[in-house]
Amino acid sequence: MAVSGQADGTEPEGAYDEVEQLNDLNRAVGKQLRLLRERAGLMQRDVGDRLGYGPDLISALERGVRTPQREFLQAVDELLDAGGLLKALAEDVERAKSKARVRHPAWFKDYARLEKSAVEINFYNNHDVPGLLQTERRTRALYVMRKPVLDPDTIDQRVASRLDRQDILTRRPLPVVTAVIEEVVLRRPLGGWGIHRERLRHLLELGRLPNVELQVMPSVCSEHAGMGGPFVLLVPKGKPQVGYTETQSNSNLITEPEEVRMLAARYGSIRAQALTMQESLALIESLLGER
């Protein structure tokens, strides 16, 4: 069974008020975080290195486009000698985040809810990198170039929602995440070369995580099982595997066992035709000029 939805971005009445309250709080926390970091004489990369986070995350938090997790606020409070100021904000952030739980477009919510509890996620993408693997600047650039044009508030909301989803990559227990990406995607500098190179470096970091397996489908491949388009295979905790597709303005959550089985078989063929994980990381390194 395929449950279809139109990607019109509609939300229940009042949802945006709750989201905007969370966005306001995120921006306030971000300003305090930046001031405390600068007072301590640290760069964003310094804070990230000491706490085990990437500089992209610290930047996103300071600009208020991502919601800080309780664990982060507790750790950074101690690092920056904030005297409990940031720790005290954890309850307010959690409360606001709970009220703003409706943050995705209506057509995406069914998938997002399943993804949150997933123990395994498999991506095949032929036009871009999966959202869970994007950097903040790349994500923003993609929404800015959307046609018809999105308004700034919607862009901020979509960016924050996507970045919040990325917590699944490092939360415990770690889910298994695999992705096959077309080589042409890795050569297309959407957003500019600076953002593109940042994205390639980010993929290298993710590809070295113990629970993430990245593969590249080379452009010279003469046989290709994925010509039907991109899709996702997802295993929610305690539930059967499901499929998910997006095409222009429509999305489909696929639950019919036979249809899911065919997608799984197709994904197995795609992975077999792609470069190995080691070859794929070597290709990304070569694109960065590091080899």
Side-chain angles (χ1 to χ4, degrees), residues 223-261:
E223 292 189 18
H224 198 319
M227 297 304 291
F231 59 90
V232 182
L233 283 165
L234 182 149
V235 182
K237 184 177 181 180
K239 298 180 180 179
Q241 186 176 53
V242 299
Y244 178 76
T245 63
E246 287 181 18
T247 306
Q248 294 297 328
S249 60
N250 291 285
S251 65
N252 291 286
L253 184 63
I254 302 167
T255 59
E256 167 60 40
E258 182 60 18
E259 293 183 42
V260 175
R261 184 196 66 78

Side-chain angles (χ1 to χ4, degrees), residues 141-189:
L142 293 175
Y143 283 126
V144 167
M145 68 180 69
R146 281 281 184 91
K147 298 294 184 292
V149 176
L150 298 174
D151 65 84
D153 287 342
T154 298
I155 291 174
D156 286 345
Q157 178 198 348
R158 298 286 177 85
V159 171
S161 297
R162 177 170 289 187
L163 294 178
D164 278 349
R165 286 172 50 216
Q166 294 177 356
D167 288 340
I168 191 176
L169 296 176
T170 54
R171 64 125 169 92
R172 300 286 178 174
L174 292 173
V176 174
V177 179
T178 74
V180 179
I181 305 167
E182 291 290 332
E183 179 181 349
V184 66
V185 169
L186 303 178
R187 296 182 180 276
R188 183 182 296 130

Side-chain angles (χ1 to χ4, degrees), residues 102-172:
V102 180
R103 303 186 62 195
H104 300 292
W107 54 271
F108 187 71
K109 286 187 176 63
D110 287 339
Y111 172 81
R113 185 165 51 251
L114 292 173
E115 180 187 76
K116 189 174 182 179
S117 65
V119 296
E120 180 181 334
I121 312 175
N122 307 290
F123 298 98
Y124 166 63
N125 276 50
N126 61 4
H127 67 284
D128 201 7
V129 170
L132 287 186
L133 311 182
Q134 291 281 12
T135 63
E136 187 275 330
R137 290 207 302 161
R138 171 78 170 204
T139 297
R140 182 169 296 277
L142 293 175
Y143 283 126
V144 167
M145 68 180 69
R146 281 281 184 91
K147 298 294 184 292
V149 176
L150 298 174
D151 65 84
D153 287 342
T154 298
I155 291 174
D156 286 345
Q157 178 198 348
R158 298 286 177 85
V159 171
S161 297
R162 177 170 289 187
L163 294 178
D164 278 349
R165 286 172 50 216
Q166 294 177 356
D167 288 340
I168 191 176
L169 296 176
T170 54
R171 64 125 169 92
R172 300 286 178 174

